[in-house]
Amino acid sequence: MHLLSLPLLLFLLCSSAEAGEIIGGTECKPHSRPYMAYLEIVTPQGHLTTCGGFLIRRNFVLTAAHCAGRSITVMLGVHNKKEKEDTWQSLEVVKQFRHPKYDDTSLRHDIMLLKLKEKANLTLAVGTLPLPSQFNFIPPGRMCRATGWGRTNVEESLSGSLQEVKLRLLDPQACKHFSSFKHNPQLCVGNPRKTNSIYKGDFGGPLLCAGIAQGIASYVNQNAKPPAVFTRISHYRPWINKILKEN
């Protein structure tokens, strides 16, 4: 739930279930998710960790507030992070905007905007992802997708290639065992009777519902058992709009 040493925090998953990729996910078709950002983070203690994120403007990435660090490098156009391609763009983060009410203990208001030093070049492999309006309150029952380079099993290392997994939005009661869960600013996601979920390395990545980013991967049980909690983006549109307008 907090920044961990080495390749840890990121987003969701996309590889074959047989290979055990993401947790219960499949591997994404290369560059079919051009908005995905791979975050390389140096923590205040000097450790290296990773998170997911997604490009919403040519010079802004949206991610989780708990992915903040001493410095962050954003990698765009990545499919397999172990195999460098001409599509890769490496961009320095010049300013981190954590939500002012973010709480590191409860992970409430777990949302952060990253301003890039230079604007990304939009290509077939690099693009932006639309956000919902403030009043687009997505209801339980919807089937969505989460994407990232996170662990494909509790004991596995992080995935090399981008993974994704289908996850259903649940009634908020399904997350009542999380003491800090709040329905308005958060989403309860993932069938507890299945193993499909996000995990370490997936945090900060998007939850896509009908092509729109409705959530940001925030936290999950330590054993990766669903449901997981995502930050509800629509709730934070006024804050997002304010930061983008001022910068």
Side-chain angles (χ1 to χ4, degrees):
M1 271 167 39
H2 300 281
L3 286 178
L4 303 165
S5 60
L6 296 177
L8 268 112
L9 303 175
L10 232 148
F11 359 116
L12 286 100
L13 359 224
C14 273
S15 179
S16 75
E18 290 79 19
E21 304 292 42
I22 228 252
I23 295 182
T26 56
E27 182 173 346
C28 293
K29 180 181 177 182
H31 310 300
S32 61
R33 306 288 181 262
Y35 43 79
M36 290 300 293
Y38 181 74
L39 276 51
E40 296 179 332
I41 303 157
V42 178
T43 71
Q45 296 76 31
H47 298 139
L48 177 66
T49 187
T50 63
C51 268
F54 47 104
L55 195 67
I56 61 167
R57 296 283 189 280
R58 286 181 62 193
N59 62 337
F60 270 95
V61 166
L62 194 57
T63 186
H66 76 254
C67 296
R70 182 192 300 171
S71 65
I72 301 177
T73 301
V74 169
M75 301 294 297
L76 302 172
V78 177
H79 174 63
N80 188 327
K81 56 187 175 64
K82 299 175 182 178
E83 298 177 5
K84 194 174 188 311
E85 297 181 81
D86 293 339
T87 56
W88 287 23
Q89 295 180 39
S90 177
L91 298 167
E92 180 185 343
V93 171
V94 291
K95 194 157 186 185
Q96 302 173 41
F97 298 92
R98 286 214 290 195
H99 192 277
K101 292 185 178 179
Y102 168 68
D103 180 70
D104 190 49
T105 303
S106 66
L107 289 186
R108 283 184 184 159
H109 311 293
D110 193 13
I111 184 171
M112 175 170 64
L113 281 161
L114 303 176
K115 185 177 182 180
L116 306 178
K117 185 175 183 178
E118 299 173 6
K119 289 184 178 180
N121 294 320
L122 300 185
T123 66
L124 289 176
V126 175
T128 58
L129 184 60
L131 302 181
S133 69
Q134 178 184 354
F135 305 104
N136 184 352
F137 196 84
I138 190 164
R142 187 75 60 86
M143 186 63 81
C144 302
R145 293 173 183 264
T147 314
W149 290 271
R151 293 192 187 192
T152 56
N153 199 296
V154 175
E155 301 300 327
E156 298 287 331
S157 58
L158 298 186
S159 173
S161 56
L162 186 63
Q163 311 286 311
E164 79 177 8
V165 65
K166 288 183 179 180
L167 299 171
R168 190 177 298 280
L169 297 185
L170 303 182
D171 185 278
Q173 286 298 311
C175 280
K176 65 181 180 181
H177 59 290
F178 293 119
S179 59
S180 63
F181 179 80
K182 297 291 183 185
H183 180 46
N184 281 348
Q186 293 173 312
L187 294 163
C188 185
V189 184
N191 189 337
R193 294 188 293 275
K194 296 185 178 181
T195 58
N196 300 4
S197 188
I198 58 168
Y199 199 50
K200 294 172 182 176
D202 292 318
F203 304 126
L207 183 73
L208 264 79
C209 309
I212 294 175
Q214 295 283 357
I216 301 169
S218 182
Y219 61 90
V220 69
N221 287 305
Q222 192 65 32
N223 63 2
K225 180 178 171 56
V229 175
F230 285 70
T231 302
R232 186 190 295 270
I233 295 174
S234 61
H235 181 81
Y236 295 95
R237 274 312 296 265
W239 175 76
I240 292 171
N241 293 347
K242 180 175 182 287
I243 297 297
L244 294 178
K245 185 178 181 180
E246 293 175 353
N247 293 275

